[in-house]
Amino acid sequence: MKLIKEPKEVDFLIKSESWSETDLADFRKLMQEIKHRNKLKKVSSVAKYTKTKQTRKLA
Amino acid sequence: MSETKSNFLDFEIDKLTNSIENTLTGEVFKTEIAKVSWKDRSLIKKSAWLFDWHIELKAALKEVLKLTTANNPDIIQGLMCFEDKKDHIFLHLLESAKFNKGKQKLYLGVAGNLVAFACKISFERNYEGFVAFDSKTALIKHYEKTLGATHFRGQRMFIETRAAKQLVTKYFAS
């Protein structure tokens, strides 16, 4: 396991402001795109796996 | 405590999950994360923290979590406040305890551990690991490098599925 450490001279601190409607809308759009892309990747890797398995069976 | 160390970016390899490292001894301690409610407010002394955590404890939509070492649950190492935005987790505040700040900080990894836990919550709530937050300008590069966060715009940042998976795997593999 890796331990994720901040550099010794740096303090990680988060203080978020409320995101504007525009920021939130744009972020949600981008997030949907990434989620959709991830889904397609998953489907494609499952299809690839199934195809390989079938090919092996036939051989 | 058995551990294997190797240099890879800023990470150190160890065999423990969800842990923090003592900067003086290099010893690694297992950690626990638990919810803090209004009735636990006496655990958080206002003078010991930069942010007013009592305000966060009162907020209906926000959840506050504390990180402690497993063998010393009375000493809070760090606090995090987040909100469930129904499609992602939004981090409002994250702060390490006073003794974990500055050049003399006692433990390393407190913030990373808490952010990883936020990602874990995001997965558990079916948000695919997405976590959003604001960063100080000076910290953007550090968050990109150590947490795999993506700079969105201005001070806005987020952690997407792949980076979130890595963080969760690193801290909460078991």
Side-chain angles (χ1 to χ4, degrees):
Chain A
M1 286 300 112
K2 288 170 185 172
L3 175 62
I4 300 146
K5 301 188 303 187
E6 66 275 34
K8 272 187 187 170
E9 71 280 9
V10 177
D11 291 324
F12 282 179
L13 192 80
I14 291 173
K15 185 181 187 294
S16 300
E17 299 296 327
S18 287
W19 287 23
S20 68
E21 287 301 319
T22 317
D23 281 348
L24 202 54
D26 290 349
F27 170 61
R28 286 199 154 116
K29 199 178 160 196
L30 178 62
M31 187 166 58
Q32 283 314 312
E33 282 170 16
I34 297 171
K35 284 182 179 179
H36 182 66
R37 232 174 18 230
N38 288 344
K39 211 175 176 180
L40 288 178
K41 266 187 202 167
K42 212 173 173 181
V43 171
S44 135
S45 62
V46 168
K48 206 173 164 185
Y49 174 76
T50 314
K51 204 176 168 186
T52 314
K53 215 175 165 185
Q54 281 172 346
T55 315
R56 277 185 190 158
K57 257 187 183 176
L58 288 170
Chain B
M1 217 168 276
S2 135
E3 59 176 323
T4 314
K5 290 180 178 178
S6 84
N7 290 325
F8 175 68
L9 296 176
D10 282 335
F11 306 148
E12 273 192 24
I13 312 289
D14 70 89
K15 289 181 180 170
L16 300 172
T17 54
N18 47 323
S19 51
I20 53 176
E21 184 191 290
N22 187 299
T23 56
L24 301 171
T25 63
E27 201 177 349
V28 176
F29 292 87
K30 285 196 88 176
T31 55
E32 285 176 354
I33 294 175
K35 197 175 173 183
V36 189
S37 62
W38 177 245
K39 66 178 191 315
D40 306 315
R41 65 189 179 281
S42 61
L43 293 172
I44 306 169
K45 300 269 177 288
K46 280 190 176 184
S47 58
W49 299 88
L50 179 68
F51 301 138
D52 187 345
W53 288 91
H54 288 198
I55 292 176
E56 308 304 316
L57 288 172
K58 277 189 216 166
L61 295 172
K62 296 178 183 174
E63 297 175 54
V64 177
L65 298 175
K66 60 170 179 171
L67 182 137
T68 62
T69 55
N71 59 356
N72 207 340
D74 294 333
I75 297 176
I76 300 175
Q77 304 291 336
L79 289 165
M80 175 174 73
C81 171
F82 72 90
E83 187 178 340
D84 187 330
K85 291 285 189 183
K86 304 300 169 199
D87 56 357
H88 69 281
I89 296 296
F90 185 75
L91 299 185
H92 283 281
L93 293 178
L94 190 149
E95 184 182 2
S96 296
K98 255 184 186 171
F99 49 83
N100 290 326
K101 284 183 201 163
K103 284 181 182 168
Q104 303 299 317
K105 66 179 75 165
L106 192 57
Y107 288 104
L108 287 171
V110 172
N113 207 317
L114 283 164
V115 173
F117 196 78
C119 295
K120 187 173 183 279
I121 293 169
S122 176
F123 279 115
E124 284 168 357
R125 297 185 185 181
N126 292 320
Y127 308 151
E128 300 183 30
F130 276 84
V131 171
F133 58 95
D134 277 357
S135 167
K136 278 184 181 177
T137 310
L139 290 175
I140 290 173
K141 290 283 169 212
H142 289 294
Y143 289 142
E144 285 176 340
K145 193 177 171 186
T146 55
L147 303 175
T150 303
H151 184 204
F152 179 46
R153 66 170 62 134
Q155 293 182 298
R156 316 292 196 220
M157 296 197 82
F158 68 91
I159 298 173
E160 47 72 49
T161 311
R162 205 173 64 163
K165 229 179 238 175
Q166 284 180 352
L167 285 175
V168 172
T169 309
K170 278 166 191 162
Y171 274 107
F172 306 99
S174 58

